[in-house]
Amino acid sequence: MSVVILDGSTVRGFVADDDAFARSVDARFAALDANGDGVLSRAELRRALESFRLLDGAGFGSAEPAPLPAEVSALYDSVFEQFDADHSGAVDRAEFRDQMRRIMLAVADGLGSQPLQVAVDDEGGSFLLEAAEHEAAAIAAKIEAQRAADAAAK
C-alpha cells in the first residue's frame, strides 16, 4: 500500500494526457484479457470487478448483510452493459478506454478541489497512483525547466 495526496485536478490532468492515460488503460485491459483474444468477456470483466470487493457486505463496520447472489449478478450484468457500448457481447479496448475515462472523470468530480490522502494499492496498477505519479513527474519537469532557464540566464 502507498499513500498519495491528490485532488480532482490530479486525476483530470492524468486523464487529459491522452498518451499516458491510454498506456495505463491499455495495460489494465491486457491484464484483464485472460485469454488474449483482444476483448473482455462478461466473465473477464466480472473477475476484475469482483477483485474490488465492493459487494462483500458488512465491510467497514456495516451491519448490512451481503447482497443476494441474484442481486450481485444483476449488478455485474448492468455494469457490463455500460462497458459494452455496441452491445456486441464483448468489451473491446476502445469501449474499455472510453468507460474508464468516464469513471475517472467522475472520480475527479467526487474528489473535488481539496487535497486528500488516499491509500492505494501499489501492486495492481492503481489509476489513482498513476495519476499522482503523473502529476509528480509534471511538477518535477517544470522545476527542472525553471532551473535550466535560470542557469541559462546567468
Side-chain angles (χ1 to χ4, degrees), residues 10 29 41-42 46 64 78 87 101 117-118 130 143 149:
T10 305
F29 182 91
S41 66
R42 191 174 295 269
R46 181 175 177 145
E64 295 293 318
S78 176
H87 306 291
R101 181 177 307 279
Q117 285 186 341
V118 179
E130 290 182 43
I143 291 169

Side-chain angles (χ1 to χ4, degrees), residues 15-139:
V15 172
D17 183 337
D18 289 330
D19 291 337
F21 187 70
R23 277 192 308 275
S24 177
V25 173
D26 290 353
R28 177 66 54 85
F29 182 91
L32 297 176
D33 184 14
N35 64 3
D37 65 355
V39 295
L40 299 180
S41 66
R42 191 174 295 269
E44 287 169 326
L45 189 59
R46 181 175 177 145
R47 275 193 298 278
L49 296 171
E50 287 173 343
S51 74
F52 297 143
R53 302 189 64 174
L54 299 174
L55 301 175
D56 285 349
F60 301 110
S62 171
E64 295 293 318
L68 298 172
E71 294 171 329
V72 172
S73 288
L75 177 63
Y76 287 139
D77 286 344
S78 176
V79 171
F80 183 84
E81 295 304 322
Q82 289 295 311
F83 274 83
D84 184 19
D86 66 2
H87 306 291
S88 65
V91 177
D92 64 32
R93 189 177 305 270
E95 289 171 321
F96 185 73
R97 194 181 293 160
D98 290 345
Q99 194 63 29
M100 291 310 302
R101 181 177 307 279
R102 290 180 58 202
I103 290 168
M104 292 305 292
L105 290 174
V107 167
D109 289 345
L111 288 171
S113 61
Q114 295 298 317
L116 298 171
Q117 285 186 341
V118 179
V120 294
D121 181 3
D122 50 7
E123 290 188 22
S126 165
F127 289 121
L128 292 179
L129 178 59
E130 290 182 43
E133 289 171 345
H134 180 268
E135 183 178 60
I139 291 169

